[in-house]
Amino acid sequence: MILKHSDDVSPETMKKPGFNDMEARFILTSDDGCPRYALRLMEFRPEGHTSYHCHKEEHEMFFLEGKGVVVGEEKKEIPVRAGDALFILPNEYHQIKNTGNAILKMICTVPIFPGQTGKGTTPCE
């Protein structure tokens, strides 16, 4: 059994191209002994966002605080808010944006592929 508190995990500023004003806490990863799934806490400051991207891993997301949009395959912006759950298929293009005046906070889970840690994802080819 592994028990951790999110406050005990230091936030890491996401510095990938196209990411802005976003931090991630990698709460449970392969570094903790998790063999198949990673649990991450993502926080977006106002106007923070990911790039418009895709990867081979699916995502399950649960929005805890704030409001924003998810940009889907046809670049359509779909509003999200606290309490919403979102499933992103493998290889599905997406982007998350904070459209509110406060922090947008979400839990994001991904499978851990062989040789990976759960901190990053595998880009689409």
Side-chain angles (χ1 to χ4, degrees), residues 47-123:
E47 300 184 21
H49 55 81
T50 67
S51 65
Y52 184 69
H53 66 285
C54 75
H55 40 76
K56 295 179 181 179
E57 292 85 354
E58 68 187 63
H59 272 339
E60 286 82 18
M61 301 174 186
F62 184 76
F63 293 86
L64 300 166
E65 296 176 17
K67 63 181 184 174
V69 295
V70 59
V71 182
E73 287 278 341
E74 297 174 8
K75 296 208 174 178
K76 180 180 176 185
E77 293 189 355
I78 302 162
V80 292
R81 61 187 172 94
D84 284 342
L86 177 65
F87 174 67
I88 304 286
L89 288 165
N91 303 307
E92 183 177 11
Y93 275 90
H94 61 283
Q95 180 181 32
I96 306 296
K97 297 180 184 179
N98 183 347
T99 58
N101 296 320
I103 295 290
L104 175 64
K105 188 182 290 191
M106 70 177 191
I107 293 289
C108 177
T109 64
V110 294
I112 300 173
F113 287 172
Q116 300 293 324
T117 65
K119 291 183 177 182
T121 51
T122 309

Side-chain angles (χ1 to χ4, degrees), residues 2-10 25-28 41:
I2 302 167
L3 176 63
K4 292 171 84 175
H5 193 280
S6 62
D7 289 344
D8 295 332
V9 178
S10 297
R25 293 177 195 257
F26 299 105
I27 298 173
L28 295 169
L41 177 62

